[in-house]
Amino acid sequence: MSLVNITPKKGDGKSIKAGAGPSEGSAITVPVTKDASQQRQKRMIANHFDKLSTAKEDGKKVAYTFVPGNLTELMGAFEMLPVLPEINALQSGMRGKSGAYISEAERGGHSEDVCSYVKCDIGMLRSGNVGPTGKTLPSPDLLLLSYTGCFTFMKWFELLKAEYNCPVVMLHVPYQADGIITPEMRQYVIDQLKSDVIPQMEQITGKKLNLDKLAEQLARSRRAEDALVKVWESAKNRPSPIDGYFGGVYYIGPIFSAFRGSEDAVAYYEELLAEVNDRIKTGEGPMTPAGVMSNQKYRLVVEGPPSWTHFNEFWNMFSNEGAIAVASTYTRVGGLYDQGFRHDPQDPLGTLADYCLGCYTNRSLPSRIDLLEKYIKSYSADGFLINSVKSCNSFSAGQLMILRELEKRTGVPGAFVESDLVDPRYFGKANIENRLQSYLQMLEARRNGNIAASGSSPVVIGSAP
Amino acid sequence: MTAEPTATHNDPAAAVLRRAHALVADYGMAPVKSWKDQHKGALAVGHLPIYTPRVLLEAIGVLPVAIYGAGDKDIIRGDSYFQSYICHIPRSTIELGLTGMLDSLDGMIFPAICDVIRNLSGMWQMLFPQKWAAYLDLPQNFRPEVGGRFYKLELKRMARELHERGAQALTDEGLRAAIKDENLRRAALDKLAALRRDASWRVPASEAYLVTRAGGAISAREHAALVEEFVAAANKRTGQLKDNVRVVMVGSFCEQPPFGLIKSLERAGCDIVSDDLQLGLDYMEGMIDEKDDPLDAVVNAFLYQGKATASRYIGEGTKGAALLEQVKRAKADGVIFAAASFCDPALLDQPMLEAACEGAGVPFTSFKYAENTGQFQVIREQAGAFSDAVRLWESAA
Ligand code: SF4
Ligand code: SF4
């Protein structure tokens, strides 16, 4: 499903300079229509939520699960319908509902210190469990606890278990502490798939696992993954035809959620790639909330999740200044395909294990730094920005070290802002905007030779108000 | 941990308490230095709070050293590594590392407890590349042929890596001896728990804490002897039952509350008769099997005898059931939830545990702290009000 609903400004078919908002010198042009891939994604989502709304009558089983390490192909092989509470939470953030949901959860005794996704989900549940399309979500038949890259996942599903009378199955995915997947780690995940996850799914659905069906799903995943990697790598062009962070979260929607392994996902990614290739030919930039962005002054790599409550405002802060995200790590939380991983239909369980083990937040801090360094260099970035979200220790603990280490290794200055995922209280708009502008001005001065090449870059902090 | 024990010279436990205090002073590094002087060439390895298989380390001649952050020490460099919304212990641990306080350690183990400790393991690898640093992934699957198998391989890996750095090789004989010693500690800690339960006026929680924590940087055998000595001495005390409320304190299993905070709770009329403050040293229910294959015994003890805590998945078990059992066993009147600020595991667990207490009619109160909290007045008032309320509730019931 789409992670975000981009609402582009309605255009009249002509490219025009955007009005109030973009600062002088930016070249935001208003888009013509929604891309066909966007329309396709919208239909896919609507269809999925329709299916969910009638799941119980249709006899379909529903599994709630998480984005990192999701076992979509396996669920697909059992014809189970996935619900991803993280995506419901971020959608609530986008729709301006998360603040009330979080308050509801905090009134019920949840601490203000913990992940706002969890509280948003609990609040949404207590408020009727109405999903992003306005339809009530079915309760789960299974809580599939893919325990990958985040400790909070375990607590989250323990909390949900107390709300729903359904089984939970834990898939413990060991952490890549030394930056490698050992045979023991891989075997442990495979063993759990065999001893716990698959038997539980078989029991719930009343079906035996059909390995051929699983392999077909995996083969389709591979095709979609091939296309997505080409989309990511298109950002090496100048101008970049994509925004690899704000636009990127839109691109990862289908592959990180309910659709990987489906024909729909293949069609979506092939269509998206064709559109991106067209933009490369015409030298056109990506669409942003303010319009098409072709004049790209600053190429940035971004680490950390976005602030969903202020998604478009945050994006505008970039595009108004001519800053484009050429790569990001958040868009790799559900799989690092651009580092070579592909689902392998020849080794169905082994490939699921590799997938779960390889997600971004399951990587050690040194390997995260290596990856960011690689992005900064291979995407010829002018700078990098860390959006450090209060909610997420998995992402955030250690980011100040990431900042320093990257500056040291690349000589490229970094910016550091603080906000939150779906708790609107922690987005200090003016503060973040001022700091981002100062940072970009510093990049400009540096480009013009007014600041030493490395070692003198300021750390930019935009904290909550 | 700065406060000296307040026991008087007439107190039969005064001497052992002074020794315990000396063991925890200097962040536990004083006993490490003297141990290393006596065991030339042997390794000492630190570990962050919560369960670490110390028995395995002892079996290969390595001194396990529990690291609990830096308490109320001023943090100068560590703060620049973490945002304000991350708990205190990782920054103070980095501070200890950067200021050379941990130089006598040859390595560090970061057991799987939360994402902060997990990420800290990678930071440590980068900050101290010359030292051994291992993340210990504790299994969340408790089938012996699945999670048990994985854990056994993890233990072997750790032993192998330490052997490559100078530790002894892991042998059945060595492990059997270490299990025996660990069981001595287990037995001693059980006696301490029983004394707190049955004669809490003889053992203030602050003393039980001190004596337990003193085992962080000595061998299990020495620790067992210390605890036994304390229990014997405390049993000689001629105190009187006070009109205090009996509470179980939970949520403080990692970043430790200041010693003064524990004392403040006592002064507020709360007898803490059970807690999870030193869970890492007291993680198992019962003894480790001495007849089984020794490595299997260590693994099985983790799988089947590990205490319920926030970082341990309980599968189809009922959340809060273990806490209610703890309350019952300790004959407690209520629960104090005391968690470090921004401690995800404790704070995410808390609503579920509170719900269990509510369901069972167990009164509770909750507060947050940081290891360097300096003011306890508010917490003391809150605890005082709680103990008054519990007393009133009990007299009305
Ligand atoms: S802590 Fe981070 S990774 Fe975990 S659920 Fe929250 S936002 Fe997601
Ligand atoms: S205090 Fe809590 S959040 Fe902090 S390191 Fe310890 S367990 Fe993790």
Side-chain angles (χ1 to χ4, degrees), chain A residues 108-115 118 145 147 149-152 154-155 158-159 161-162 166-170 172-175 177-178 184-185 187-188 191-192 195-196 200 361-366 368-369 388-391 393-401 404-405 409 416 418-419, chain B residues 77 79-86 94 113-116 118-127 133-135 137-141 143 145-150 153-154 157 161 309-319 340-345 347-352 354 368:
Chain A
H110 291 262
S111 168
E112 66 182 67
D113 288 358
V114 302
C115 174
V118 181
L145 206 180
Y147 187 51
C150 166
F151 173 84
T152 298
M154 183 164 88
K155 299 286 108 188
E158 282 177 356
L159 284 158
K161 183 175 172 245
C166 77
V168 191
V169 64
M170 151 73 87
H172 174 207
V173 178
Y175 180 56
D178 296 322
E184 293 81 8
M185 290 157 76
Q187 192 57 48
Y188 176 41
D191 287 348
Q192 292 175 81
S195 66
D196 292 84
Q200 185 68 264
T361 44
N362 202 46
R363 299 197 159 210
S364 69
L365 208 85
R368 282 171 62 189
I369 295 174
S388 183
V389 292
K390 173 182 173 285
S391 274
N393 282 344
S394 175
F395 254 105
S396 304
Q399 279 177 328
L400 285 165
M401 186 152 179
R404 279 201 282 272
E405 190 66 20
R409 287 194 200 174
F416 196 93
E418 291 180 2
S419 63
Chain B
R77 296 167 71 185
D79 270 341
S80 67
Y81 285 85
F82 292 99
Q83 302 89 317
S84 55
Y85 48 78
I86 288 174
I94 283 201
I113 174 168
C114 71
D115 295 329
V116 174
R118 187 197 71 171
N119 291 5
L120 182 61
S121 71
M123 296 170 76
W124 209 265
Q125 287 172 4
M126 296 175 71
L127 285 167
Y135 177 74
D137 226 330
L138 298 165
Q140 299 289 2
N141 178 296
R143 291 179 197 274
E145 71 284 10
V146 181
R149 182 168 175 266
F150 171 72
L153 294 169
E154 279 283 285
R157 171 183 69 89
E161 288 182 9
T309 186
S311 59
R312 185 179 169 100
Y313 181 56
I314 60 157
E316 293 303 311
T318 306
K319 203 74 202 166
S341 293
F342 303 108
C343 177
D344 275 351
L347 293 169
L348 283 160
D349 230 29
Q350 201 169 300
M352 293 180 272
E354 287 179 352
K368 292 187 287 185

Side-chain angles (χ1 to χ4, degrees), chain A residues 4 10 22 29 52 69 120 131 223 231 259 393 414 429 453 456:
Chain A
V4 280
K10 293 262 183 299
T29 53
L52 283 173
C120 183
R223 285 168 60 201
V231 170
F259 304 101
N393 282 344
K429 181 173 183 262
S456 58

Side-chain angles (χ1 to χ4, degrees), chain B residues 29 32-33 35-36 41-46 57 61-65 102-108 131-132 162:
Chain B
M29 287 302 120
V32 178
K33 284 173 198 149
W35 184 87
K36 287 194 93 172
L43 306 181
V45 168
L57 300 178
V62 171
L63 179 70
V65 182
L102 305 181
D103 282 358
S104 26
L105 299 179
D106 302 284
M108 280 283 263
K131 299 267 172 131
W132 180 76
L162 285 166

